[in-house]
Amino acid sequence: MSKWGTLKSVAFIGNYLPRQCGIATFTTHLLESIVLNAPDKICWAIAMNDQPEGYLYPPPVRFEINQSQLNDYNLAADLLNLNQVDVVCLQHEFGIFGGKRGSFILELLRDLKIPVVTTLHTILNNPDPHDRYIMTQLTVLSAQLVVMSERSVEFLRDIYQVPQEKITLIPHGIPDVPFTESNSYKDRFSVVGKTVLLTFGLLSPGKGIEMVIEALPEIVQRYPQVVYMVVGATHPHLLAEQGEDYRNSLQLRAKELGVTDHVIFYDRFVSDEDLLKFIGVADIYVTPYVNEAQIISGTLAYALGMGKIVVSTPYWHAQELLAEGRGRLIPFRDHRALAREVVELLDHPDICQAIRQKAYQYGRNMIWSQAGRHYLDTFAAIKHRHLQHTAISQQETLRLRQQRLPVIKLDYLKRLTDSTGIVQHAKYTVPNRQHGYCVDDNARALMVVVSLQELQPLDTTLSELSATYLSFLGHSFNEQTGRFRNFMAYDRRWLESAGSEDSQARTLWALGVKAAAGRDKGQVDFAGQLFQRGLPASAEFNYPRSIAFTLIGLDIYLCQHNRDKQAKTHYKLLAERLMQRFRDFATSDWLWCTDCLTYDNARLPQALILAGQRLNNSDMLDMGLRCLGWLKQIQTDASDQHFSAIGNRGWFPKSSYETGGSKAKFDQQPIEAAAMVDACIAALNATQDEQWLTFAYRCLNWYQGENDSRIALYDPATGGCRDGLEAHGVNQNQGAESTLCWLMALLALCNHRGWNQTVAKKESTRLSVQPVEQI
């Protein structure tokens, strides 16, 4: 038996070469180091894809996850369980997984029956509630956490209260290369006779390259032979959003300072072999990061391990690696200090040689073969521990496993959308142009797209859809009345000067969502401005549903704009108005504020629940919860507890309720199920009572056939939703409202899975919410 006992197989999850990023390089080298140290072990990888087409991976990659597709994570967990690997090694970085802040990876971990060793590449010292929740869940779901610096150990122990015994420190791996002089590499890059400063890595503003360029005039005045080599392609995500603006700004600044001839850009992703040559040519390696929040730097580890003189700003990893004379630290954003340090080092070659020797010797403990052995020791210990604790409660396993959600499919949404906006109706699955457009559906569509951008941040088509829907809302605003028009003919003629209170309120809701959670700055600013222009009309709202829509929009708007006095004033006014309606009309039996239950009912208690929390009003919160519970009871089938919506052929009048009558059974509308999903999640976040989550899933399953007729309304072939449940079947038309309501319900639960606030609330306060009185 080998040194590592019963350990037979390890599966790695992370980015993988040829994807161009540091995590891909790390995962690839770690797997290779395990294989070299223990060739009898079976090692393979699951690769994360940030583009639908993936990459041309080598044989060790057996499965690929599209980071934005939640079901891919479930399938990966099934594959790992089926193969019965001994240990899973997860490479964790917030940005490489789907969901809000990479939360989808938690879904995979919850499904696993295998111990997980998680390597943490980023640990935040001041996490917001969402990031803290993700890190806490990683801690709970991992058998062991591997970190690469002493500071990381401190953060886990002191900030996240992780027990010391659950933390293993293994330094970042580096290649094993001989101690050589830079001159042996210089002819390859045509810099013979030059003194080379070098920075390597994917280019982005946080790297601080401009600081070195600012220091160059002073340096080259003393040492004219100095050149600065900037090696690396622009970060692909930055490139997609901003193009080469950052690189161009650096080149322009070099020209303004008269040092263009002293700056060399190598604009490409560098292979490992070439990377060693580039670092080899450096006389001084510079990492001028702009703030301290860099707990690991692979390029710093590489440069130090190759015996290079490193001059760096004092970010966390640099403080640790360059201590005890292994390098030099300079203040952040201080190009004069950088110039002085470089000149002093070049003035004293003996000091440079001593620094190089210390750095190289320190790096001997970091070479990949050593790192691989440390990981194997950790894997074997975790496997042994797992064998001793296999009697895990099956009930606990089932509790962690949740219903799998359908794949989010936008094909039909795009079919209904043209350059004007989203068409209201359809004949079967064909857009029906006869009825044109309405602001209601474009508002819903905007909310769907904003929510999707949280889950699929790299999908550029979402920004285009968002612009289309937002443009429709902007065009609908009537400056003379301060109101949004609702209905537009297919030939783009407005059919009214002002829409209903409901359509005005729903538009404000959508604009609030965009202004608070949108991505494109121009769109966000436009939405915020339009929100402020349309909000004054809400002061005159009388209909409870319109008040509720506005409150829900204001609630999310205030999460990001809590200094907006107009918004806070309207929030208090409308919340109290809605509460007063319930005080005036509700009784112990009829817990409602009007004499009839109609459609979108759950939005009213949802608004009270949100307002009760924000305003610290326990009466308001209690009223919202009691009303939602009553509404839930009315819309639950007694036989098997499935959701049974109030039908629109008669609704449910108070008079019928008081005489023992029942609600109208048909036609049931998708809008009611979507409202119940959102309201139940709001109730869950307020109470930590998981009955609300259970009912939210029942409402989602209504779309999928768990309803009075046992017929699915959601059409997986198109991604659309049928328009209603009728007495003799379903309405086969797949219009905008029904499809958007399906997507809203599905996305609400997808986003909830990303951040289970029931757990998060126990660790922190509600995200970005302050009581209005204290704002």
Side-chain angles (χ1 to χ4, degrees):
M1 185 177 292
S2 71
K3 174 185 176 182
W4 293 287
T6 60
L7 182 72
K8 297 178 181 178
S9 59
V10 181
F12 296 81
I13 302 174
N15 297 351
Y16 207 89
L17 293 176
R19 180 171 172 179
Q20 299 178 359
C21 75
I23 302 293
T25 302
F26 185 94
T27 309
T28 304
H29 288 329
L30 177 56
L31 186 149
E32 291 171 348
S33 71
I34 299 298
V35 171
L36 287 173
N37 275 290
D40 60 320
K41 311 303 179 190
I42 299 171
C43 294
W44 53 281
I46 293 176
M48 301 302 306
N49 286 335
D50 61 348
Q51 56 188 27
E53 63 272 23
Y55 298 87
L56 295 175
Y57 290 115
V61 174
R62 296 188 185 178
F63 189 80
E64 302 171 34
I65 295 176
N66 180 332
Q67 69 175 48
S68 299
Q69 294 298 328
L70 182 60
N71 274 11
D72 280 9
Y73 295 82
N74 301 133
L75 293 173
D78 288 344
L79 179 66
L80 291 163
N81 290 330
L82 184 64
N83 279 268
Q84 297 183 327
V85 296
D86 291 330
V87 174
V88 171
C89 184
L90 170 70
Q91 305 306 308
H92 183 266
E93 175 65 77
F94 287 97
I96 70 172
F97 305 108
K100 187 173 182 180
R101 295 289 285 154
S103 54
F104 280 179
I105 191 60
L106 301 179
E107 184 83 2
L108 186 155
L109 298 182
R110 290 181 183 121
D111 280 351
L112 284 180
K113 301 175 182 178
I114 300 160
V116 178
V117 174
T118 297
T119 304
L120 298 172
H121 292 261
T122 293
I123 305 173
L124 302 175
N125 71 324
N126 187 27
D128 65 24
H130 186 84
D131 290 335
R132 180 181 289 276
Y133 166 72
I134 289 177
M135 187 62 71
T136 301
Q137 288 298 290
L138 284 171
T139 300
V140 170
L141 296 168
S142 301
Q144 196 72 12
L145 301 172
V146 174
V147 296
M148 293 177 264
S149 66
E150 292 286 356
R151 183 66 64 92
S152 300
V153 175
E154 294 172 13
F155 282 5
L156 285 181
R157 187 184 61 232
D158 299 339
I159 299 172
Y160 298 95
Q161 287 75 53
V162 179
Q164 183 74 38
E165 61 271 16
K166 200 168 186 176
I167 309 169
T168 299
L169 173 59
I170 304 176
H172 192 295
I174 61 172
D176 187 4
V177 296
F179 186 82
T180 56
E181 298 298 325
S182 60
N183 287 335
S184 61
Y185 291 91
K186 289 187 176 179
D187 59 335
R188 305 181 190 188
F189 300 101
S190 301
V191 289
V192 174
K194 302 291 186 181
T195 300
V196 178
L197 312 183
L198 185 136
T199 297
F200 165 80
L202 293 174
L203 220 61
S204 65
K207 297 295 177 68
I209 308 299
E210 60 274 11
M211 176 175 151
V212 187
I213 293 175
E214 294 285 346
L216 277 179
E218 186 175 340
I219 296 171
V220 300
Q221 184 178 6
R222 178 72 176 271
Y223 288 96
Q225 77 276 19
V226 165
V227 295
Y228 178 40
M229 295 174 62
V230 182
V231 181
T234 300
H235 195 289
H237 296 172
L238 181 69
L239 189 64
E241 294 179 3
Q242 301 178 18
E244 291 289 5
D245 288 354
Y246 180 58
R247 185 185 300 275
N248 293 339
S249 71
L250 296 175
Q251 293 171 333
L252 178 61
R253 187 57 180 152
K255 183 178 180 180
E256 291 171 347
L257 293 171
V259 293
T260 299
D261 293 340
H262 296 270
V263 182
I264 304 170
F265 286 93
Y266 284 86
D267 180 11
R268 59 189 175 92
F269 183 78
V270 178
S271 68
D272 274 4
E273 182 180 353
D274 287 341
L275 171 59
L276 299 182
K277 295 174 184 175
F278 274 113
I279 296 178
V281 79
D283 295 294
I284 298 178
Y285 190 85
V286 187
T287 57
Y289 297 162
V290 300
N291 61 64
E292 67 177 359
Q294 180 84 19
I295 204 155
I296 293 298
S297 171
T299 60
L300 173 65
Y302 273 42
L304 178 106
M306 292 180 68
K308 293 297 170 181
I309 303 166
V310 178
V311 177
S312 175
T313 50
Y315 56 90
W316 295 322
H317 200 203
Q319 291 177 35
E320 190 170 316
L321 285 191
L322 303 184
E324 300 177 356
R326 294 187 291 269
R328 293 291 178 88
L329 297 175
I330 55 170
F332 293 108
R333 303 178 186 274
D334 190 341
H335 68 274
R336 292 185 176 86
L338 172 60
R340 288 193 301 269
E341 194 66 59
V342 169
V343 168
E344 182 181 344
L345 287 167
L346 296 180
D347 284 346
H348 298 90
D350 54 331
I351 294 177
C352 290
Q353 191 66 12
I355 292 173
R356 291 190 62 208
Q357 291 285 354
K358 285 183 178 180
Y360 185 79
Q361 288 304 317
Y362 185 84
R364 293 303 82 202
N365 294 321
M366 299 164 57
I367 59 175
W368 273 116
S369 59
Q370 289 272 55
R373 284 192 283 273
H374 291 316
Y375 269 95
L376 279 164
D377 290 341
T378 302
F379 296 156
I382 294 304
K383 171 67 186 300
H384 180 70
R385 187 194 311 168
H386 183 67
L387 290 174
Q388 293 180 323
H389 298 86
T390 52
I392 301 174
S393 165
Q394 185 68 23
Q395 182 178 358
E396 178 69 7
T397 303
L398 290 173
R399 187 185 69 80
L400 289 174
R401 290 184 63 91
Q402 294 176 302
Q403 173 186 325
R404 294 191 178 179
L405 301 176
V407 173
I408 298 167
K409 191 172 182 178
L410 297 185
D411 303 52
Y412 194 68
L413 176 69
K414 294 175 181 178
R415 182 187 300 180
L416 290 173
T417 302
D418 60 21
S419 60
T420 300
I422 189 166
V423 175
Q424 282 192 79
H425 297 296
K427 286 288 189 180
Y428 296 94
T429 59
V430 179
N432 185 350
R433 301 178 181 183
Q434 181 179 351
H435 297 284
Y437 316 86
C438 70
V439 78
D440 280 323
D441 288 335
N442 280 274
R444 291 187 185 98
L446 181 61
M447 288 190 274
V448 163
V449 169
V450 172
S451 185
L452 271 166
Q453 286 180 308
E454 290 279 1
L455 304 180
Q456 302 176 1
L458 302 180
D459 187 344
T460 57
T461 65
L462 296 177
S463 181
E464 294 302 313
L465 287 169
S466 173
T468 298
Y469 305 135
L470 187 56
S471 177
F472 189 96
L473 301 190
H475 185 50
S476 75
F477 188 68
N478 187 330
E479 296 283 358
Q480 296 177 338
T481 63
R483 297 287 293 267
F484 296 96
R485 304 173 180 92
N486 193 8
F487 296 108
M488 173 190 276
Y490 188 72
D491 61 5
R492 296 190 178 184
R493 287 179 300 107
W494 288 110
L495 303 178
E496 57 192 356
S497 61
S500 65
E501 283 190 10
D502 273 13
S503 64
Q504 179 87 5
R506 189 176 282 107
T507 305
L508 290 171
W509 176 8
L511 292 171
V513 169
K514 182 65 180 180
R519 290 185 169 270
D520 182 286
K521 185 179 185 302
Q523 294 185 29
V524 168
D525 290 346
F526 178 77
Q529 183 187 72
L530 194 56
F531 179 86
Q532 291 167 357
R533 289 158 66 195
L535 185 60
S538 68
E540 306 302 321
F541 286 173
N542 288 303
Y543 292 106
R545 187 180 301 103
S546 307
I547 295 171
F549 292 167
T550 309
L551 282 170
I552 296 168
L554 277 165
D555 193 76
I556 190 168
Y557 176 83
L558 286 169
C559 287
Q560 292 297 324
H561 304 279
N562 57 23
R563 296 183 184 276
D564 188 326
K565 292 182 179 179
Q566 177 187 222
K568 290 188 290 182
T569 299
H570 279 75
Y571 194 90
K572 284 184 177 181
L573 172 71
L574 294 173
E576 183 54 41
R577 185 176 298 170
L578 182 61
M579 182 63 181
Q580 191 61 47
R581 295 295 172 84
F582 276 90
R583 290 194 192 104
D584 292 344
F585 206 89
T587 67
S588 57
D589 293 327
W590 181 258
L591 285 174
W592 206 243
C593 62
T594 66
D595 60 2
C596 188
L597 287 167
T598 56
Y599 68 93
D600 230 1
N601 296 293
R603 297 300 178 189
L604 279 64
Q606 178 187 353
L608 287 176
I609 291 167
L610 295 174
Q613 290 177 283
R614 183 174 290 280
L615 299 174
N616 280 338
N617 187 319
S618 58
D619 290 342
M620 201 173 284
L621 175 61
D622 180 65
M623 179 66 79
L625 291 169
R626 287 194 298 119
C627 290
L628 185 62
W630 178 74
L631 188 62
K632 168 177 169 284
Q633 182 180 14
I634 288 172
Q635 298 191 108
T636 297
D637 181 82
S639 61
D640 63 1
Q641 303 299 299
H642 69 258
F643 176 66
S644 176
I646 294 169
N648 66 9
R649 294 186 179 275
W651 304 117
F652 196 13
K654 181 182 181 182
S655 58
S656 177
Y657 178 83
E658 290 177 337
T659 57
S662 59
K663 68 183 189 308
K665 193 168 185 178
F666 298 106
D667 297 348
Q668 297 181 30
Q669 298 177 292
I671 193 172
E672 187 66 15
M676 284 298 294
V677 169
D678 279 344
C680 285
I681 290 175
L684 171 69
N685 296 337
T687 65
Q688 297 88 54
D689 187 342
E690 291 200 359
Q691 66 150 323
W692 297 113
L693 182 60
T694 299
F695 197 69
Y697 276 102
R698 287 178 185 160
C699 295
L700 184 75
N701 291 341
W702 176 88
Y703 293 94
Q704 301 176 86
E706 293 185 20
N707 51 49
D708 289 334
S709 300
R710 296 296 188 263
I711 302 174
L713 286 87
Y714 169 58
D715 182 357
T718 65
C721 179
R722 299 173 180 93
D723 279 351
L725 197 65
E726 301 175 342
H728 303 292
V730 294
N731 183 331
Q732 293 292 343
N733 297 330
Q734 297 182 18
E737 179 183 296
S738 55
T739 295
L740 291 165
C741 287
W742 155 253
L743 287 171
M744 291 173 77
L746 177 59
L747 286 166
L749 283 165
C750 282
N751 279 311
H752 175 265
R753 289 212 181 166
W755 184 23
N756 185 340
Q757 293 183 22
T758 300
V759 178
K761 278 176 68 70
K762 297 176 183 177
E763 299 152 2
S764 185
T765 58
R766 186 167 170 238
L767 177 62
S768 302
V769 169
Q770 303 171 41
V772 170
E773 289 86 349
Q774 300 174 17
I775 294 176

